[in-house]
Amino acid sequence: TYGGWGAHGGGAFSGKDPTKVDRSAAYACRWMAKSVVKAGLCKRACVQLSYAIGVAKPLSLFVETYGTEKEGLTAQLITDIVKINFDCRPGALARDLALREPKYNPTAAYCHFGREPYVENGMKFFSWEDPVDLS
């Protein structure tokens, strides 16, 4: 389950437009955390993103690994790998995770996370559950 938990703002999924970072960044953090764990860079990860209104690039991106990094790596090195491999601008997240497709009824029930990604009628569902190959 890649840790099976994550921190987010209380209203992150309540009626938010997918271009708002409350929703898109929560999905992206899950996507990035799953990717670093699946790549074997660490055993546990929580990704933190912070934004400012009107600024496209995040003010901060940090990967907390709780001391579970692979030997020879540090949380900072893993953070740098994430910064190189993921574009965290809101528009890029909406594009990369296909968030502008009208598909939010399935996410409204049975949780946003821990679901199998799938394609239906040409739309990608739960794409943040499909890790990026970072090996």
Side-chain angles (χ1 to χ4, degrees):
T1 66
Y2 301 93
W5 59 271
H8 63 80
F13 307 112
S14 301
K16 299 285 188 206
D17 180 301
T19 63
K20 304 297 184 253
V21 293
D22 299 60
R23 180 188 293 263
S24 59
Y27 293 154
C29 287
R30 168 76 173 183
W31 188 37
M32 292 181 275
K34 285 189 73 163
S35 297
V36 298
V37 171
K38 177 143 190 192
L41 304 178
C42 57
K43 292 181 180 175
R44 187 174 174 202
C46 184
V47 179
Q48 176 190 52
L49 278 171
S50 63
Y51 292 88
I53 294 171
V55 180
K57 289 189 176 181
L59 296 179
S60 133
L61 187 157
F62 178 69
V63 181
E64 174 60 69
T65 59
Y66 306 97
T68 66
E69 324 67 46
K70 181 178 175 181
E71 188 174 331
L73 292 177
T74 64
Q76 185 57 58
L77 284 172
I78 294 170
T79 298
D80 292 342
I81 291 167
V82 167
K83 286 179 179 180
I84 290 167
N85 286 279
F86 294 90
D87 185 347
C88 292
R89 295 171 299 155
L93 294 177
R95 176 197 67 218
D96 295 344
L97 295 172
L99 298 179
R100 291 194 178 102
E101 297 172 350
K103 58 180 173 200
Y104 290 99
N105 281 343
T107 64
Y110 309 112
C111 195
H112 296 261
F113 302 121
R115 311 276 293 274
E116 286 296 318
Y118 63 93
V119 176
E120 184 177 292
N121 297 325
M123 288 190 292
K124 296 179 193 173
F125 290 79
F126 304 101
S127 53
W128 49 89
E129 296 293 341
D130 195 11
V132 170
D133 184 1
L134 299 175
S135 55

